[in-house]
Amino acid sequence: MTEQRGNWTSSAGFILAATGSAIGLGNLWKFPFITWENNGGAFVLVYLVCIAAVGLPIMMAELLIGRKTQQSAVGALKEAVGPAWGLVGLWGVLCGFTLLSYYTVIAGWSLYFFAKTAGWMVGGFPTGTSLGQVFTEQSANGGLQIALSLGFSVATVSVVYFGVQKGIEKIARLFLPVLFVILALLFMVSFAMDGSREALTFIFRPSFNELDGGSVLEALGHAFFTLSLGMGAMITYGSYIARNQSVVKASGIIVLLDTVIALVATVIMFTVIFTAGMQDQVGDTGTVGMLFISLPQLFFAEGIVPGGAVLAPLFYVLVALAALTSTMSLLEVVTSYIIDEHGIERGKATLACGGVVFLFTILAALSFGGADFASNLSAPGRLGDLLFAGKTSWFGMADHFVSNWMLPTGGLAITVAVGWFMTREATESELVDETVPGWFNYNTWRFFIRYISPAAVAAIVVAVLFFGVDFS
Ligand code: PHE
């Protein structure tokens, strides 16, 4: 079975693929917006603490389960921890399935805005265009939404179809460097803009009186999302790591890159917004607003972004690439489960999984006014309230359920499994070898994974249950 599954060709290939999974819409779409909503500074600091104290140890935990067992989420947890833990793996597969089904819709928007901005680059930005209207019209157009999502799904399926080496690793090796270059270019341009100082101050100067308990939990919840933790993606990617490749070093690099990219993206976006003096309007456009409503027009406005007309389509290429390297990891979680546990061959498994997920993507695609049955739902009763917090679209419900319930509970189960149900010897032998970097201390890690991480994650679950905090 091991030969059939394949391995990453090199440590660098693996690190790029895992970093690609981590860097995604979470970095470019969610993080800047929640930083904005929580008034920057102090929130960013808390987020960084969550990444280091909870994200990094759990990243190592997931990768080590994968590398140790060389199996996808369900089989890995069964073998490393015990048969009943397969259920936690199954919960992860379900989470990957659900997340993929609606993530694809937002990814599809990046294709639309690429096409739109490329058109404006060539033909000029039509004066008087309302970007709010452009956005609402495209998202309410059911046929268009299905077509865009289908395009993105086909891309995802095509990558996963070719497997770990010829599909996922190859695309990550090709696209991640492109992504880094585009981001670096935008970053440099942003430094030449007037608003950059103001943006940096907003992001990095903490003022703690603006921080409440809800913000702390939101930072923690986002740490899971952005690092692709809590649902088996990193277990699955870890299962393709060869025995001589270090889990610890790789975890450090993945977490660092993901964090740097989130901060860089935020600096770029805030610089544009401050330069344009748009700070009062951003809040009104909701989560989707910053990336798809406020930004597109600013690239074309006079005197804000130097070379903006050319950078705009490039920016949406960046969003699409970041999303693709994440969707392929989500589909891989589901597909590798079918391959490993049900013995189905990769090609067939990928097409089947991609197809079934797409049926749910259609619901998500029609959630923005495209069809009434997807846009206007209600979950009755107290349980409905608790699970979906009054969300009224399929998309809203799915996103709420994944971010608030599935990732935190999955994450909690994984920390408990690794910290309390695996022996010290079992975890130590995976983490500590001759390649282990000097900054790593096994006992410290074990303390974090046994006490700090589960306590922090339990705090999220309690917050959701008793205080109704919403991370989606
Ligand atoms: N980490 C991805 C992002 O930030 C989302 C994701 C979560 C991808 C879980 C895979 C698994 O967009």
Side-chain angles (χ1 to χ4, degrees):
M1 187 144 114
T2 316
E3 301 95 54
Q4 255 188 21
R5 296 185 85 244
N7 281 126
W8 308 108
T9 59
S10 70
S11 196
F14 154 62
I15 289 172
L16 283 173
T19 305
S21 168
I23 297 173
L25 297 168
N27 304 58
L28 304 174
W29 172 64
K30 261 192 175 169
F31 182 69
F33 185 75
I34 58 177
T35 300
W36 187 268
E37 269 186 332
N38 288 288
N39 287 313
F43 176 79
V44 172
L45 203 65
V46 171
Y47 169 76
L48 293 177
V49 172
C50 293
I51 289 283
V54 182
L56 183 63
I58 299 184
M59 175 69 73
M60 293 176 189
E62 288 204 19
L63 291 177
L64 88 81
I65 300 179
R67 192 184 84 156
K68 182 178 171 57
T69 56
Q70 306 275 303
Q71 286 187 50
S72 54
V74 175
L77 279 157
K78 271 191 201 158
E79 189 181 312
V81 198
W85 291 87
L87 282 177
V88 174
L90 215 49
W91 185 239
V93 172
L94 198 65
C95 180
F97 183 102
T98 315
L99 179 48
L100 177 59
S101 76
Y102 68 85
Y103 199 94
T104 302
V105 176
I106 310 172
W109 295 346
S110 66
L111 302 180
Y112 180 79
F113 279 90
F114 166 71
K116 261 282 183 254
T117 49
W120 292 333
M121 176 180 81
V122 180
F125 187 76
T127 38
T129 311
S130 149
L131 258 289
Q133 207 178 342
V134 170
F135 178 80
T136 318
E137 273 170 20
Q138 69 99 27
S139 59
N141 181 338
L144 175 69
Q145 286 304 308
I146 293 177
L148 291 167
S149 311
L150 182 64
F152 212 89
S153 275
V154 169
T156 309
V157 167
S158 317
V159 179
V160 173
Y161 185 90
F162 289 102
V164 178
Q165 284 185 7
K166 294 207 193 89
I168 296 173
E169 183 175 340
K170 209 163 167 187
I171 290 300
R173 274 178 184 275
L174 193 69
F175 286 172
L176 266 226
V178 177
L179 188 148
F180 292 147
V181 170
I182 298 179
L183 211 58
L185 184 72
L186 289 164
F187 194 49
M188 279 172 342
V189 172
S190 77
F191 270 101
M193 293 162 53
D194 294 339
S196 67
R197 273 185 78 96
E198 222 177 323
L200 288 172
T201 313
F202 185 93
I203 298 167
F204 293 109
R205 197 163 65 199
S207 66
F208 283 96
N209 49 10
E210 283 167 7
L211 202 70
D212 56 23
S215 314
V216 175
L217 291 162
E218 190 163 14
L220 192 58
H222 185 67
F224 269 94
F225 186 88
T226 191
L227 293 174
S228 307
L229 297 174
M231 42 75 69
M234 289 299 166
I235 299 183
T236 307
Y237 271 18
S239 74
Y240 307 120
I241 306 180
R243 298 232 165 262
N244 58 2
Q245 294 168 4
S246 166
V247 163
V248 174
K249 202 166 104 201
S251 303
I253 299 175
I254 298 161
V255 169
L256 190 69
L257 282 174
D258 183 78
T259 309
V260 170
I261 299 290
L263 292 173
V264 166
T266 309
V267 170
I268 296 169
M269 287 184 213
F270 287 12
T271 300
V272 175
I273 288 163
F274 277 115
T275 307
M278 290 263 297
Q279 42 275 48
D280 296 337
Q281 289 144 53
V282 172
D284 304 337
T285 53
T287 322
V288 295
M290 196 178 284
L291 198 57
F292 298 108
I293 300 176
S294 311
L295 273 182
Q297 59 195 356
L298 298 182
F299 278 109
F300 293 92
E302 197 75 32
I304 296 179
V305 185
V310 181
L311 293 178
L314 208 57
F315 179 76
Y316 290 98
V317 170
L318 169 82
V319 179
L321 294 184
L324 180 65
T325 50
S326 296
T327 52
M328 59 203 209
S329 73
L330 289 165
L331 183 58
E332 180 63 18
V333 171
V334 183
T335 305
S336 64
Y337 158 68
I338 301 287
I339 299 173
D340 287 355
E341 300 295 310
H342 299 283
I344 296 174
E345 172 262 327
R346 172 170 288 271
K348 276 198 201 117
T350 314
L351 293 175
C353 293
V356 178
V357 170
F358 190 71
L359 296 178
F360 290 86
T361 301
I362 294 176
L363 287 175
L366 297 176
S367 289
F368 296 86
D372 210 41
F373 62 82
S375 309
N376 285 314
L377 295 170
S378 67
R382 285 194 47 201
L383 187 66
D385 259 3
L386 186 66
L387 297 182
F388 303 111
K391 297 286 187 288
T392 53
S393 69
W394 172 268
F395 182 103
M397 286 182 173
D399 187 29
H400 183 85
F401 192 62
V402 166
S403 311
N404 291 266
W405 288 101
M406 300 195 94
L407 293 179
T409 49
L412 183 59
I414 290 170
T415 52
V416 171
V418 176
W420 296 90
F421 288 84
M422 283 177 79
T423 63
R424 166 179 268 275
E425 294 70 41
T427 51
E428 191 166 15
S429 62
E430 287 299 318
L431 294 178
V432 182
D433 52 29
E434 61 284 1
T435 61
V436 73
W439 53 264
F440 181 75
N441 179 292
Y442 176 78
N443 287 326
T444 310
W445 173 82
R446 192 162 157 86
F447 178 73
F448 271 79
I449 209 74
R450 280 168 74 91
Y451 300 102
I452 307 286
S453 314
V457 184
I460 306 190
V461 177
V462 169
V464 171
L465 262 179
F466 298 109
F467 302 107
V469 175
D470 182 357
F471 303 108
S472 60

